Amino acid sequence: MSLLNRQLRLKSRPDGLVGREHFDLVEQPVPELGEGEILLRVLYLSMDPTNRVWMRDIPQYLPPVAIGEVMRALGLGRVVKSRSPHYHEGDLVQGITGWQDYLVLHDSAKGYVRLPADPGIPLPTLLGAAGMSGVTAYYGMTDIAPVQPGETLVVSAAAGSVGSIAGQIGKIRGARVVGIAGGADKCHYLVDELRFDAAVDYKADDFKQQLKAATSDGVHVNFENVGGEVMRAVLSRMVIGGRIALCGLISGYNSGEKPSDDYGIFVMKRLSMRGFLVLDYTKTKEAVHAITGWIREGKLKTEETVAEGLENAPVVLNRLFDGSHRGKLVLRVDAQA
Amino acid sequence: MSLLNRQLRLKSRPDGLVGREHFDLVEQPVPELGEGEILLRVLYLSMDPTNRVWMRDIPQYLPPVAIGEVMRALGLGRVVKSRSPHYHEGDLVQGITGWQDYLVLHDSAKGYVRLPADPGIPLPTLLGAAGMSGVTAYYGMTDIAPVQPGETLVVSAAAGSVGSIAGQIGKIRGARVVGIAGGADKCHYLVDELRFDAAVDYKADDFKQQLKAATSDGVHVNFENVGGEVMRAVLSRMVIGGRIALCGLISGYNSGEKPSDDYGIFVMKRLSMRGFLVLDYTKTKEAVHAITGWIREGKLKTEETVAEGLENAPVVLNRLFDGSHRGKLVLRVDAQA
């Protein structure tokens, strides 16, 4: 008896909401297993915002799903047949299964985790909190922007799969945690069930006022899942030296347009950026010593453009913006200097 | 004989270029010195892009200059009279002097650096490479985004006061340095005189192609002074895990409009942001162990929403964006699971 495998293959790229019309549902027999191969029955698929990004033909961290290709997705399957010594019938396997009923996998394939037949945890939880979503939250809060006891953490999309775990890890680490979510129900859920210190409804007219009231001492860490206006509001509440773990920008994923902010590339390329002001360096002796040394040794060349006359200061300043000088622009105020 | 002090006081806030009409030139006698005070003759004023920002009535890292106030600026002055034991006639003093001929300073005032009468370096250089501009470049390249030998560093506004030093420090540290500047003259200056490895003209029609050619192995560190389209072009060339020292965004300073990007707040508040993807964490055992432990101990609550049927995957995915579920959204593919 040959098994039938249903596959959802990308037919056209959605613009906005995703529909059945963007996929072909194809049925075909499951192939015979070769040496070292296993057959997985897909049990659960993880629904992730990043799936939506994979459908778009834009530069991203993995190649977009090609037209005609089975839609890529994380899933959990059970081994129903094995020609590999490393997998046994009944084993659970987590990894990229795609939107299909069955998957033939070679045991050398990378990125698949074998789990015991009974992992001691409900399977949907295994795909969520104990899977990619929870692990994402964990590293965001411990490695990317570790939150410290007593600090204020703001999590956006806080009732979601990653945000709900990130916020709770913040509580476990001793932070004051404020969640942003849409609607009163979710906000109550955050405070009453997940024990966040406060919740702010981004759909409310007074969202910014709510956020301000909930973060009266400023925001030390932002675990950001949303982007756009929500992120801008949080940034405006950050303390000096605040840190942002940029996990996702879901507000822009469904849009055919260019996202409303410039942050997407920071996720895609895992970039870090730090703004700075020299006035934070109050002891600059080391720097001045090094620089003057390099100047004397001829390793560092300097050039100054000297303009004249206090009364000319306003118009001289414009030269910074018209590209008409090189190096440092200074104004001589004392003609004898 | 009483000395006359000329002051340039902000009269109205410029929109675009700065003109004399935005300032009142006021003459008034220099007051008598009180105990502990010194009188500085201003010798040189530093012309800095941040001066332009200080004229704008927008949230920033220092209060904007008020209407009627002497324009704030860094300068270098010489002590011409002293009633303080800590300062002697002839000493040089660097700090905020403002746009005026003279400044009366109490010796307890913070932020002023006393220098010997003959510092052994030309005074314009003291205000530039050995002053705020050079120190800014130094900490950007050693503390904020230290560049390592063999890495590619891109510096924007590279012929400017900060950029020219930042790029040369990159060379001293063993990096391959690419400068972005406007026009062929400045580009030749960078390569021929400052010994940058390459220079790219942002005013050229083929700017992006030039940049791509000059950074064929990608960009490890960006010392950013410009923002806007120049910064976007550099970001598109960053390697995975690249670092950005965000020093300034001069492309937006002269504009009365909202800047064309969201990065200003990162400078103003010295924020750090790091984008991340969980797929970079290849060994997640620690995370899964911690999370499952917290779940068992009741410290972490999870919620899953389970939808049904492989064929429904496309429409179920939309629920991620409509806010209709909480926690993790999964799709059951095998009805028996």
Side-chain angles (χ1 to χ4, degrees), chain A residues 289-318:
Chain A
H289 183 77
I291 291 166
T292 51
W294 288 327
I295 293 175
R296 290 198 188 95
E297 294 163 30
K299 289 183 179 165
L300 192 65
K301 296 193 182 179
T302 74
E303 181 160 336
E304 295 86 23
T305 301
V306 180
E308 302 284 342
L310 175 67
E311 64 283 6
N312 298 322
V315 291
V316 170
L317 190 72
N318 292 326

PDB file of all heavy atoms in Angstrom, chain A residues 289-318:
ATOM      1  N   HIS A 289      46.136  61.526  24.461  1.00  0.00           N
ATOM      2  CA  HIS A 289      47.521  61.064  24.480  1.00  0.00           C
ATOM      3  C   HIS A 289      47.830  60.223  23.234  1.00  0.00           C
ATOM      4  O   HIS A 289      48.844  60.427  22.558  1.00  0.00           O
ATOM      5  CB  HIS A 289      47.765  60.247  25.750  1.00  0.00           C
ATOM      6  CG  HIS A 289      49.176  59.786  25.906  1.00  0.00           C
ATOM      7  ND1 HIS A 289      50.193  60.622  26.316  1.00  0.00           N
ATOM      8  CD2 HIS A 289      49.752  58.581  25.678  1.00  0.00           C
ATOM      9  CE1 HIS A 289      51.327  59.941  26.344  1.00  0.00           C
ATOM     10  NE2 HIS A 289      51.087  58.705  25.951  1.00  0.00           N
ATOM     11  N   ALA A 290      46.928  59.297  22.934  1.00  0.00           N
ATOM     12  CA  ALA A 290      47.144  58.435  21.761  1.00  0.00           C
ATOM     13  C   ALA A 290      47.151  59.264  20.481  1.00  0.00           C
ATOM     14  O   ALA A 290      48.033  59.101  19.617  1.00  0.00           O
ATOM     15  CB  ALA A 290      46.062  57.361  21.698  1.00  0.00           C
ATOM     16  N   ILE A 291      46.185  60.163  20.371  1.00  0.00           N
ATOM     17  CA  ILE A 291      46.057  60.946  19.136  1.00  0.00           C
ATOM     18  C   ILE A 291      47.270  61.859  18.931  1.00  0.00           C
ATOM     19  O   ILE A 291      47.847  61.905  17.837  1.00  0.00           O
ATOM     20  CB  ILE A 291      44.754  61.784  19.173  1.00  0.00           C
ATOM     21  CG1 ILE A 291      43.538  60.850  19.075  1.00  0.00           C
ATOM     22  CG2 ILE A 291      44.736  62.825  18.059  1.00  0.00           C
ATOM     23  CD1 ILE A 291      42.218  61.515  19.425  1.00  0.00           C
ATOM     24  N   THR A 292      47.673  62.576  19.973  1.00  0.00           N
ATOM     25  CA  THR A 292      48.813  63.481  19.802  1.00  0.00           C
ATOM     26  C   THR A 292      50.081  62.678  19.514  1.00  0.00           C
ATOM     27  O   THR A 292      50.940  63.108  18.743  1.00  0.00           O
ATOM     28  CB  THR A 292      48.999  64.385  21.040  1.00  0.00           C
ATOM     29  OG1 THR A 292      49.031  63.573  22.216  1.00  0.00           O
ATOM     30  CG2 THR A 292      47.863  65.380  21.159  1.00  0.00           C
ATOM     31  N   GLY A 293      50.177  61.488  20.115  1.00  0.00           N
ATOM     32  CA  GLY A 293      51.316  60.618  19.801  1.00  0.00           C
ATOM     33  C   GLY A 293      51.337  60.238  18.333  1.00  0.00           C
ATOM     34  O   GLY A 293      52.367  60.343  17.652  1.00  0.00           O
ATOM     35  N   TRP A 294      50.199  59.819  17.802  1.00  0.00           N
ATOM     36  CA  TRP A 294      50.124  59.426  16.385  1.00  0.00           C
ATOM     37  C   TRP A 294      50.423  60.620  15.471  1.00  0.00           C
ATOM     38  O   TRP A 294      51.047  60.459  14.424  1.00  0.00           O
ATOM     39  CB  TRP A 294      48.732  58.872  16.060  1.00  0.00           C
ATOM     40  CG  TRP A 294      48.452  57.521  16.647  1.00  0.00           C
ATOM     41  CD1 TRP A 294      49.351  56.514  16.854  1.00  0.00           C
ATOM     42  CD2 TRP A 294      47.188  57.029  17.102  1.00  0.00           C
ATOM     43  NE1 TRP A 294      48.721  55.427  17.413  1.00  0.00           N
ATOM     44  CE2 TRP A 294      47.388  55.708  17.570  1.00  0.00           C
ATOM     45  CE3 TRP A 294      45.897  57.556  17.160  1.00  0.00           C
ATOM     46  CZ2 TRP A 294      46.354  54.921  18.087  1.00  0.00           C
ATOM     47  CZ3 TRP A 294      44.869  56.763  17.665  1.00  0.00           C
ATOM     48  CH2 TRP A 294      45.100  55.470  18.129  1.00  0.00           C
ATOM     49  N   ILE A 295      49.958  61.801  15.859  1.00  0.00           N
ATOM     50  CA  ILE A 295      50.254  62.989  15.044  1.00  0.00           C
ATOM     51  C   ILE A 295      51.765  63.208  15.004  1.00  0.00           C
ATOM     52  O   ILE A 295      52.353  63.411  13.930  1.00  0.00           O
ATOM     53  CB  ILE A 295      49.538  64.237  15.604  1.00  0.00           C
ATOM     54  CG1 ILE A 295      48.007  64.107  15.457  1.00  0.00           C
ATOM     55  CG2 ILE A 295      50.024  65.511  14.899  1.00  0.00           C
ATOM     56  CD1 ILE A 295      47.206  65.239  16.093  1.00  0.00           C
ATOM     57  N   ARG A 296      52.424  63.133  16.157  1.00  0.00           N
ATOM     58  CA  ARG A 296      53.876  63.372  16.208  1.00  0.00           C
ATOM     59  C   ARG A 296      54.637  62.320  15.419  1.00  0.00           C
ATOM     60  O   ARG A 296      55.641  62.614  14.780  1.00  0.00           O
ATOM     61  CB  ARG A 296      54.352  63.375  17.672  1.00  0.00           C
ATOM     62  CG  ARG A 296      53.867  64.600  18.422  1.00  0.00           C
ATOM     63  CD  ARG A 296      54.647  64.879  19.700  1.00  0.00           C
ATOM     64  NE  ARG A 296      53.972  65.963  20.416  1.00  0.00           N
ATOM     65  CZ  ARG A 296      53.072  65.762  21.385  1.00  0.00           C
ATOM     66  NH1 ARG A 296      52.787  64.543  21.797  1.00  0.00           N
ATOM     67  NH2 ARG A 296      52.479  66.797  21.958  1.00  0.00           N
ATOM     68  N   GLU A 297      54.134  61.078  15.470  1.00  0.00           N
ATOM     69  CA  GLU A 297      54.813  59.988  14.739  1.00  0.00           C
ATOM     70  C   GLU A 297      54.492  60.005  13.245  1.00  0.00           C
ATOM     71  O   GLU A 297      54.992  59.161  12.497  1.00  0.00           O
ATOM     72  CB  GLU A 297      54.377  58.624  15.314  1.00  0.00           C
ATOM     73  CG  GLU A 297      54.826  58.376  16.748  1.00  0.00           C
ATOM     74  CD  GLU A 297      54.027  57.225  17.388  1.00  0.00           C
ATOM     75  OE1 GLU A 297      53.595  56.321  16.647  1.00  0.00           O
ATOM     76  OE2 GLU A 297      53.832  57.256  18.608  1.00  0.00           O
ATOM     77  N   GLY A 298      53.624  60.900  12.834  1.00  0.00           N
ATOM     78  CA  GLY A 298      53.266  60.968  11.422  1.00  0.00           C
ATOM     79  C   GLY A 298      52.276  59.908  10.984  1.00  0.00           C
ATOM     80  O   GLY A 298      52.038  59.715   9.793  1.00  0.00           O
ATOM     81  N   LYS A 299      51.674  59.200  11.940  1.00  0.00           N
ATOM     82  CA  LYS A 299      50.707  58.157  11.584  1.00  0.00           C
ATOM     83  C   LYS A 299      49.317  58.725  11.342  1.00  0.00           C
ATOM     84  O   LYS A 299      48.457  58.063  10.773  1.00  0.00           O
ATOM     85  CB  LYS A 299      50.621  57.121  12.709  1.00  0.00           C
ATOM     86  CG  LYS A 299      51.849  56.242  12.840  1.00  0.00           C
ATOM     87  CD  LYS A 299      51.639  55.208  13.937  1.00  0.00           C
ATOM     88  CE  LYS A 299      52.847  54.289  14.066  1.00  0.00           C
ATOM     89  NZ  LYS A 299      52.810  53.537  15.327  1.00  0.00           N
ATOM     90  N   LEU A 300      49.108  59.916  11.843  1.00  0.00           N
ATOM     91  CA  LEU A 300      47.786  60.526  11.749  1.00  0.00           C
ATOM     92  C   LEU A 300      47.952  61.915  11.161  1.00  0.00           C
ATOM     93  O   LEU A 300      48.700  62.740  11.697  1.00  0.00           O
ATOM     94  CB  LEU A 300      47.180  60.613  13.157  1.00  0.00           C
ATOM     95  CG  LEU A 300      45.701  60.961  13.293  1.00  0.00           C
ATOM     96  CD1 LEU A 300      44.832  59.878  12.685  1.00  0.00           C
ATOM     97  CD2 LEU A 300      45.354  61.127  14.776  1.00  0.00           C
ATOM     98  N   LYS A 301      47.276  62.150  10.032  1.00  0.00           N
ATOM     99  CA  LYS A 301      47.343  63.469   9.407  1.00  0.00           C
ATOM    100  C   LYS A 301      46.089  64.249   9.749  1.00  0.00           C
ATOM    101  O   LYS A 301      44.983  63.691   9.759  1.00  0.00           O
ATOM    102  CB  LYS A 301      47.461  63.324   7.899  1.00  0.00           C
ATOM    103  CG  LYS A 301      48.754  62.640   7.505  1.00  0.00           C
ATOM    104  CD  LYS A 301      49.017  62.770   6.023  1.00  0.00           C
ATOM    105  CE  LYS A 301      50.310  62.027   5.692  1.00  0.00           C
ATOM    106  NZ  LYS A 301      50.626  62.080   4.270  1.00  0.00           N
ATOM    107  N   THR A 302      46.274  65.507  10.005  1.00  0.00           N
ATOM    108  CA  THR A 302      45.109  66.325  10.319  1.00  0.00           C
ATOM    109  C   THR A 302      45.078  67.508   9.356  1.00  0.00           C
ATOM    110  O   THR A 302      46.094  67.898   8.790  1.00  0.00           O
ATOM    111  CB  THR A 302      45.168  66.875  11.758  1.00  0.00           C
ATOM    112  OG1 THR A 302      46.134  67.931  11.817  1.00  0.00           O
ATOM    113  CG2 THR A 302      45.545  65.792  12.740  1.00  0.00           C
ATOM    114  N   GLU A 303      43.887  68.008   9.179  1.00  0.00           N
ATOM    115  CA  GLU A 303      43.737  69.173   8.326  1.00  0.00           C
ATOM    116  C   GLU A 303      42.679  70.057   8.953  1.00  0.00           C
ATOM    117  O   GLU A 303      41.644  69.586   9.431  1.00  0.00           O
ATOM    118  CB  GLU A 303      43.317  68.736   6.917  1.00  0.00           C
ATOM    119  CG  GLU A 303      43.157  69.901   5.968  1.00  0.00           C
ATOM    120  CD  GLU A 303      43.226  69.474   4.499  1.00  0.00           C
ATOM    121  OE1 GLU A 303      43.810  68.431   4.182  1.00  0.00           O
ATOM    122  OE2 GLU A 303      42.667  70.214   3.665  1.00  0.00           O
ATOM    123  N   GLU A 304      42.970  71.350   8.998  1.00  0.00           N
ATOM    124  CA  GLU A 304      42.002  72.279   9.552  1.00  0.00           C
ATOM    125  C   GLU A 304      41.736  73.391   8.554  1.00  0.00           C
ATOM    126  O   GLU A 304      42.635  73.851   7.864  1.00  0.00           O
ATOM    127  CB  GLU A 304      42.505  72.900  10.873  1.00  0.00           C
ATOM    128  CG  GLU A 304      42.665  71.890  11.999  1.00  0.00           C
ATOM    129  CD  GLU A 304      44.019  71.202  11.969  1.00  0.00           C
ATOM    130  OE1 GLU A 304      44.970  71.775  11.400  1.00  0.00           O
ATOM    131  OE2 GLU A 304      44.127  70.059  12.488  1.00  0.00           O
ATOM    132  N   THR A 305      40.477  73.763   8.473  1.00  0.00           N
ATOM    133  CA  THR A 305      40.085  74.920   7.679  1.00  0.00           C
ATOM    134  C   THR A 305      39.746  76.021   8.671  1.00  0.00           C
ATOM    135  O   THR A 305      38.887  75.833   9.527  1.00  0.00           O
ATOM    136  CB  THR A 305      38.873  74.580   6.801  1.00  0.00           C
ATOM    137  OG1 THR A 305      39.221  73.487   5.958  1.00  0.00           O
ATOM    138  CG2 THR A 305      38.458  75.776   5.960  1.00  0.00           C
ATOM    139  N   VAL A 306      40.448  77.153   8.560  1.00  0.00           N
ATOM    140  CA  VAL A 306      40.255  78.231   9.523  1.00  0.00           C
ATOM    141  C   VAL A 306      39.507  79.380   8.855  1.00  0.00           C
ATOM    142  O   VAL A 306      40.001  79.993   7.913  1.00  0.00           O
ATOM    143  CB  VAL A 306      41.617  78.726  10.081  1.00  0.00           C
ATOM    144  CG1 VAL A 306      41.399  79.851  11.089  1.00  0.00           C
ATOM    145  CG2 VAL A 306      42.380  77.572  10.726  1.00  0.00           C
ATOM    146  N   ALA A 307      38.320  79.651   9.331  1.00  0.00           N
ATOM    147  CA  ALA A 307      37.562  80.818   8.869  1.00  0.00           C
ATOM    148  C   ALA A 307      37.767  81.945   9.880  1.00  0.00           C
ATOM    149  O   ALA A 307      38.284  81.719  10.963  1.00  0.00           O
ATOM    150  CB  ALA A 307      36.082  80.458   8.734  1.00  0.00           C
ATOM    151  N   GLU A 308      37.372  83.137   9.502  1.00  0.00           N
ATOM    152  CA  GLU A 308      37.716  84.304  10.326  1.00  0.00           C
ATOM    153  C   GLU A 308      36.479  85.074  10.763  1.00  0.00           C
ATOM    154  O   GLU A 308      35.556  85.280   9.967  1.00  0.00           O
ATOM    155  CB  GLU A 308      38.603  85.269   9.516  1.00  0.00           C
ATOM    156  CG  GLU A 308      39.891  84.689   8.980  1.00  0.00           C
ATOM    157  CD  GLU A 308      40.968  84.521  10.045  1.00  0.00           C
ATOM    158  OE1 GLU A 308      40.858  85.150  11.129  1.00  0.00           O
ATOM    159  OE2 GLU A 308      41.917  83.738   9.801  1.00  0.00           O
ATOM    160  N   GLY A 309      36.507  85.539  12.012  1.00  0.00           N
ATOM    161  CA  GLY A 309      35.541  86.550  12.437  1.00  0.00           C
ATOM    162  C   GLY A 309      34.307  86.026  13.139  1.00  0.00           C
ATOM    163  O   GLY A 309      33.484  85.346  12.524  1.00  0.00           O
ATOM    164  N   LEU A 310      34.181  86.396  14.412  1.00  0.00           N
ATOM    165  CA  LEU A 310      33.021  85.969  15.201  1.00  0.00           C
ATOM    166  C   LEU A 310      31.710  86.250  14.480  1.00  0.00           C
ATOM    167  O   LEU A 310      30.800  85.411  14.455  1.00  0.00           O
ATOM    168  CB  LEU A 310      33.028  86.701  16.557  1.00  0.00           C
ATOM    169  CG  LEU A 310      31.810  86.440  17.452  1.00  0.00           C
ATOM    170  CD1 LEU A 310      31.780  85.002  17.926  1.00  0.00           C
ATOM    171  CD2 LEU A 310      31.796  87.393  18.646  1.00  0.00           C
ATOM    172  N   GLU A 311      31.626  87.441  13.865  1.00  0.00           N
ATOM    173  CA  GLU A 311      30.363  87.846  13.248  1.00  0.00           C
ATOM    174  C   GLU A 311      29.960  86.918  12.092  1.00  0.00           C
ATOM    175  O   GLU A 311      28.808  86.898  11.679  1.00  0.00           O
ATOM    176  CB  GLU A 311      30.447  89.310  12.771  1.00  0.00           C
ATOM    177  CG  GLU A 311      31.465  89.581  11.667  1.00  0.00           C
ATOM    178  CD  GLU A 311      32.924  89.639  12.151  1.00  0.00           C
ATOM    179  OE1 GLU A 311      33.191  89.360  13.345  1.00  0.00           O
ATOM    180  OE2 GLU A 311      33.805  89.949  11.320  1.00  0.00           O
ATOM    181  N   ASN A 312      30.935  86.136  11.587  1.00  0.00           N
ATOM    182  CA  ASN A 312      30.633  85.227  10.476  1.00  0.00           C
ATOM    183  C   ASN A 312      30.185  83.832  10.920  1.00  0.00           C
ATOM    184  O   ASN A 312      29.898  82.978  10.077  1.00  0.00           O
ATOM    185  CB  ASN A 312      31.872  85.075   9.582  1.00  0.00           C
ATOM    186  CG  ASN A 312      32.272  86.401   8.972  1.00  0.00           C
ATOM    187  OD1 ASN A 312      31.408  87.206   8.602  1.00  0.00           O
ATOM    188  ND2 ASN A 312      33.575  86.654   8.899  1.00  0.00           N
ATOM    189  N   ALA A 313      30.154  83.611  12.222  1.00  0.00           N
ATOM    190  CA  ALA A 313      29.863  82.260  12.728  1.00  0.00           C
ATOM    191  C   ALA A 313      28.621  81.628  12.078  1.00  0.00           C
ATOM    192  O   ALA A 313      28.674  80.472  11.626  1.00  0.00           O
ATOM    193  CB  ALA A 313      29.738  82.276  14.253  1.00  0.00           C
ATOM    194  N   PRO A 314      27.507  82.375  11.985  1.00  0.00           N
ATOM    195  CA  PRO A 314      26.310  81.715  11.425  1.00  0.00           C
ATOM    196  C   PRO A 314      26.523  81.199  10.012  1.00  0.00           C
ATOM    197  O   PRO A 314      26.131  80.069   9.685  1.00  0.00           O
ATOM    198  CB  PRO A 314      25.245  82.826  11.459  1.00  0.00           C
ATOM    199  CG  PRO A 314      25.701  83.768  12.532  1.00  0.00           C
ATOM    200  CD  PRO A 314      27.208  83.741  12.458  1.00  0.00           C
ATOM    201  N   VAL A 315      27.143  82.007   9.157  1.00  0.00           N
ATOM    202  CA  VAL A 315      27.287  81.565   7.762  1.00  0.00           C
ATOM    203  C   VAL A 315      28.406  80.550   7.603  1.00  0.00           C
ATOM    204  O   VAL A 315      28.342  79.669   6.740  1.00  0.00           O
ATOM    205  CB  VAL A 315      27.471  82.758   6.796  1.00  0.00           C
ATOM    206  CG1 VAL A 315      26.176  83.561   6.699  1.00  0.00           C
ATOM    207  CG2 VAL A 315      28.618  83.652   7.214  1.00  0.00           C
ATOM    208  N   VAL A 316      29.430  80.646   8.455  1.00  0.00           N
ATOM    209  CA  VAL A 316      30.512  79.653   8.385  1.00  0.00           C
ATOM    210  C   VAL A 316      29.978  78.270   8.747  1.00  0.00           C
ATOM    211  O   VAL A 316      30.360  77.259   8.146  1.00  0.00           O
ATOM    212  CB  VAL A 316      31.687  80.061   9.299  1.00  0.00           C
ATOM    213  CG1 VAL A 316      32.699  78.924   9.416  1.00  0.00           C
ATOM    214  CG2 VAL A 316      32.368  81.327   8.766  1.00  0.00           C
ATOM    215  N   LEU A 317      29.069  78.245   9.703  1.00  0.00           N
ATOM    216  CA  LEU A 317      28.517  76.956  10.141  1.00  0.00           C
ATOM    217  C   LEU A 317      27.912  76.176   8.969  1.00  0.00           C
ATOM    218  O   LEU A 317      28.004  74.947   8.903  1.00  0.00           O
ATOM    219  CB  LEU A 317      27.461  77.165  11.227  1.00  0.00           C
ATOM    220  CG  LEU A 317      26.997  75.884  11.934  1.00  0.00           C
ATOM    221  CD1 LEU A 317      28.067  75.340  12.866  1.00  0.00           C
ATOM    222  CD2 LEU A 317      25.703  76.096  12.705  1.00  0.00           C
ATOM    223  N   ASN A 318      27.313  76.904   8.028  1.00  0.00           N
ATOM    224  CA  ASN A 318      26.689  76.239   6.880  1.00  0.00           C
ATOM    225  C   ASN A 318      27.684  75.430   6.055  1.00  0.00           C
ATOM    226  O   ASN A 318      27.292  74.506   5.334  1.00  0.00           O
ATOM    227  CB  ASN A 318      26.012  77.266   5.968  1.00  0.00           C
ATOM    228  CG  ASN A 318      24.805  77.897   6.635  1.00  0.00           C
ATOM    229  OD1 ASN A 318      24.101  77.249   7.402  1.00  0.00           O
ATOM    230  ND2 ASN A 318      24.578  79.178   6.352  1.00  0.00           N
TER     231      ASN A 318
END
